[in-house]
Amino acid sequence: MARETPNELTMQAIATRAEIGPATAYRYYSTIEDVLAAYSLGVVGELIEYSEECALKGRSLFEAVLGKWLELLEEHGAALTQLRSRRGYLERLHAGADTIVATERAWRRPVSSLLDELGLPTDQLEYALFLSNIIFDPREIGDLRKEAKLSQSEIAARLTASYIGALRGWFQG
């Protein structure tokens, strides 16, 4: 349900789908946002597993993990765009926010490997991850698919080139 119609997600609908009472559903999750956060963590968990098991390095690793991310967004993207925080990426990372920490874990190795291949400093990985959070946002990727009618490979190529440019600009600045 979170995948198909996240805008219509209610605790009652979750309870009905799970064949439990609403009170039981509320014991597990206090709010719809908690349900969506748990769902998002599950999706990011798939990305972590893929990222950590991938034998590639450098840009090839980065592109493979990005490809997996785009596949996951194709399947789960609608639910992943429902979460929105008023706090920035770095603040949430430093505070240990579950979703951000999991996302950092999924991207740490591919981004670090890309930085190394590009000859950019890996000691500022946190800022490279900050930029990746901006560029590879599920909302914006969904917009490129729907409104710009770009294919997954076009999105990957254009965003990778943009990301590499952003990294170079960041570290020169």
Side-chain angles (χ1 to χ4, degrees), residues 16 21 24 36 49-50 86 92 96 103 110 116 128 153 156:
T16 300
T24 304
L36 291 169
E49 184 178 330
Y50 181 85
R86 293 182 180 166
R92 290 178 289 151
T103 302
D116 191 49
S153 63

Side-chain angles (χ1 to χ4, degrees), residues 7-166:
N7 293 335
E8 299 171 17
L9 196 61
T10 65
M11 291 303 277
Q12 179 63 47
I14 291 168
T16 300
R17 180 112 181 223
E19 298 179 355
I20 59 175
T24 304
Y26 276 106
R27 269 187 244 146
Y28 290 100
Y29 301 104
S30 301
T31 65
I32 292 300
E33 288 75 25
D34 291 343
V35 173
L36 291 169
Y39 186 82
S40 294
L41 279 173
V43 173
V44 173
E46 289 183 53
L47 188 63
I48 290 170
E49 184 178 330
Y50 181 85
S51 177
E52 291 179 348
E53 292 178 2
C54 187
L56 299 170
K57 292 184 180 182
R59 186 171 178 158
S60 297
L61 170 62
F62 181 83
E63 289 174 344
V65 174
L66 176 57
K68 181 65 174 177
W69 179 235
L70 293 175
E71 288 174 20
L72 290 169
L73 291 180
E74 183 70 34
E75 184 178 351
H76 306 280
L80 300 180
T81 63
Q82 299 301 308
L83 292 175
R84 196 67 175 177
S85 175
R86 293 182 180 166
R87 299 179 345 179
Y89 173 84
L90 294 174
E91 180 183 350
R92 290 178 289 151
L93 179 64
H94 296 157
D98 293 341
T99 305
I100 297 302
V101 169
T103 302
E104 185 271 345
R105 182 175 166 199
W107 285 103
R108 178 185 320 130
R109 186 170 154 257
V111 169
S112 181
S113 189
L114 178 63
L115 289 173
D116 191 49
E117 184 176 295
L118 295 172
L120 296 172
T122 57
D123 65 336
Q124 294 191 34
L125 177 63
E126 185 174 273
Y127 298 108
L129 292 166
F130 165 82
L131 291 172
S132 73
N133 185 68
I134 294 168
I135 293 175
F136 302 108
D137 182 278
R139 245 174 247 78
E140 309 312 335
I141 290 172
D143 203 31
L144 289 173
R145 274 201 187 110
K146 182 180 175 188
E147 298 301 322
K149 309 278 192 254
L150 296 177
S151 69
Q152 186 169 318
S153 63
E154 289 173 311
I155 291 169
R158 290 178 185 201
L159 290 183
T160 297
S162 298
Y163 183 56
I164 289 170

